[in-house]
Amino acid sequence: MSEKKMKPDTVAAHAGRDPQRFSGLVNTPVFRGSTVLFPNVHAYENRDPDDYKLMRYGIYGTPTTFALEEAVAKLEGGHAAVALPSGLAAIVAALAAFVKAGDHILVSDSVYQPTRNFCDKRLRAFGVDTEYYDPLIGAGIAGLIRANTTVVFCEAPGSLSFEMQDIPAIAAAAHARGIPVLADNTWGTPYFFPSFERGVDVSIHAGTKYISGHSDVMMGLIVTNEQHWLKVRRAVADYGYCVSPDDCYLALRGLRTIGARMRQQQQSALEVAHWLQARPEVGRVLYPALDSDPGHAIWKRDFSGAASLFGVVLKPASEAAVAALIDALALFGIGSSWGGFESLAIRADPGKIRTATRWNPGGPLLRLHIGLEDPADLIADLEQGFGRMRQAG
Ligand SMILES: *Cc1c(COP(=O)(O)O)cnc(C)c1O
């Protein structure tokens, strides 16, 4: 049976494994190494610089790295993948692969803040002009494309404001002008969003999140279609990025269970989100998986499921009251990142950094990540948190 026809859970369990190559072991072991010895001068001097599956030097990876890269690429439906030391490194390398001084790039105004930081500080210093666009622009992106535009960058939904983007419409407009579409697919994951079927050319992941899934590893991945593979892979090599085989092993171990975890976390997130929608303290819940969300129709059309990360806009409340709510939570940790097995809660204010659009949700914003705890316990925890919020307010 070809892997193309297999369902995502089957691909996640089988892709990137070849037990008979590794003493029958189910998992590709951790291969450590820097120097790789060649059998003779001819083999060493004639190694193919574009063969990124050839064992030639530690910086290009070992069989452990290749196993992770192959599994992620197959799950998402891309041509090939490359691992990087963090999600942010993956964003940086992917953007850098497509720009030179004098170029113009289009980036969603809802983009992950460190992506904006890289564009505004580093790319600008190198002579690349970033223009932010309304995440809801859809086919209207055509009106912003200039003669020197070389990238359209998407993120759906925005990881703080949760606006959905019409990626197929954006991709059709960009492709009509020969421009590649890069997307930060950390929320969608290779499991719930088939980037390449939706028109994305280069998909970027913080593997730190659901792919690894256990809050114990930093990982980035770039998956590309065939057309853009060598351009991206060579850029990653030129920048000298490489990832330890131990981290690749952990990320691949996480990937094996991504389906079971994400389905369960989605179900719990929906339960918690529905409960929150009915609370008097809550203005609205920002979660494309909810019928009431403005991005729901696009989400339903393009995604096969939802990450367990969403926003909660509270009715106007003092800063002290919101902090009291979060501080009172016993099961939700306070910290960066998400996609692990445990729940998290932070306060966020994405409106502050926008430049192309105004974003004012009408009250304080919480971002919740729902883990694998029983949702009844999470709801009870939030309920007692709201009690503390009332006392503080
Ligand atoms: C966390 C995150 C990143 C960056 O990943 P790191 O591994 O933390 O560098 C990129 N994009 C989104 C949407 C994220 O949430």
Side-chain angles (χ1 to χ4, degrees):
M1 193 171 178
S2 96
E3 262 158 349
K4 257 210 149 86
K5 293 213 184 65
M6 292 193 296
K7 306 280 191 213
D9 282 309
T10 313
V11 177
H14 284 270
R17 290 207 288 118
D18 189 359
Q20 294 316 317
R21 265 181 74 203
F22 306 114
S23 309
L25 292 167
V26 168
N27 293 292
T28 305
V30 175
F31 282 88
R32 307 193 60 84
S34 52
T35 298
V36 174
L37 302 178
F38 287 71
N40 53 48
V41 171
H42 180 83
Y44 180 67
E45 292 182 354
N46 290 284
R47 59 202 191 282
D48 176 0
D50 284 336
D51 182 356
Y52 288 98
K53 293 295 168 245
L54 176 74
M55 278 297 294
R56 49 185 162 133
Y57 183 50
I59 202 166
Y60 302 109
T62 73
T64 317
T65 326
F66 304 155
L68 170 67
E69 292 169 344
E70 185 182 327
V72 170
K74 284 200 169 138
L75 185 57
E76 193 162 6
H79 170 69
V82 57
L84 292 99
S86 69
L88 183 55
I91 292 163
V92 164
L95 280 169
F98 289 95
V99 295
K100 61 182 186 309
D103 285 350
H104 167 257
I105 64 171
L106 289 165
V107 176
S108 171
D109 208 22
S110 61
V111 82
Y112 177 63
Q113 197 272 334
T115 305
R116 181 184 284 266
N117 185 58
F118 175 70
C119 292
D120 292 348
K121 288 200 189 134
R122 304 298 160 186
L123 287 185
R124 176 171 296 167
F126 286 138
V128 177
D129 176 21
T130 302
E131 179 176 348
Y132 295 96
Y133 65 85
D134 180 345
L136 306 179
I137 200 165
I141 195 85
L144 299 180
I145 293 173
R146 303 182 193 166
N148 61 339
T149 304
T150 56
V151 165
V152 174
F153 193 100
C154 302
E155 183 178 320
S159 65
L160 289 173
S161 52
F162 298 95
E163 293 135 300
M164 194 41 79
Q165 291 200 265
D166 190 341
I167 290 183
I170 291 173
H175 292 160
R177 301 281 296 271
I179 299 165
V181 174
L182 278 56
D184 183 333
N185 188 23
T186 299
W187 191 93
T189 78
Y191 184 75
F192 276 154
F193 186 73
S195 299
F196 302 95
E197 286 176 26
R198 301 288 176 263
V200 171
D201 297 278
V202 177
S203 173
I204 302 160
H205 299 278
T208 310
K209 313 286 167 58
Y210 292 103
I211 290 174
S212 297
H214 294 74
S215 306
D216 55 1
V217 60
M218 299 301 298
M219 179 63 62
L221 288 142
I222 308 175
V223 191
T224 81
N225 56 17
E226 191 167 4
Q227 186 189 353
H228 295 100
W229 166 244
L230 280 179
K231 192 179 185 101
V232 168
R233 186 63 188 85
R234 287 175 184 152
V236 172
D238 291 345
Y239 279 94
Y241 284 123
C242 74
V243 183
S244 101
D246 304 82
D247 289 345
C248 291
Y249 185 93
L250 285 174
L252 185 51
R253 187 156 83 160
L255 186 79
R256 297 295 178 211
T257 58
I258 193 170
R261 286 184 287 109
M262 289 199 79
R263 272 196 308 277
Q264 180 64 45
Q265 285 176 258
Q266 167 179 245
Q267 192 183 320
S268 299
L270 277 167
E271 211 171 299
V272 174
H274 283 134
W275 180 82
L276 284 164
Q277 279 187 308
R279 289 293 306 189
E281 298 88 347
V282 171
R284 69 199 161 103
V285 178
L286 312 177
Y287 193 25
L290 295 172
D291 297 346
S292 55
D293 192 273
H296 184 70
I298 290 177
W299 170 78
K300 210 167 162 179
R301 184 192 68 191
D302 293 347
F303 289 66
S304 59
S308 61
L309 184 83
F310 60 83
V312 185
V313 179
L314 299 171
K315 294 203 177 132
S318 72
E319 284 199 12
V322 179
L325 161 63
I326 298 175
D327 283 341
L329 299 174
L331 297 178
F332 290 80
I334 304 167
S336 297
S337 203
W338 40 280
F341 56 84
E342 84 293 6
S343 292
L344 298 166
I346 54 167
R347 182 151 70 173
D349 189 1
K352 273 203 300 225
I353 56 166
R354 294 237 177 176
T355 52
T357 47
R358 292 175 60 116
W359 195 79
N360 182 3
L365 174 68
L366 295 182
R367 189 183 74 176
L368 297 185
H369 171 256
I370 303 303
L372 288 167
E373 301 93 338
D374 191 303
D377 289 333
L378 297 176
I379 286 171
D381 197 26
L382 288 164
E383 182 153 35
Q384 63 84 23
F386 281 130
R388 295 279 193 88
M389 182 173 149
R390 272 195 305 278
Q391 285 163 17

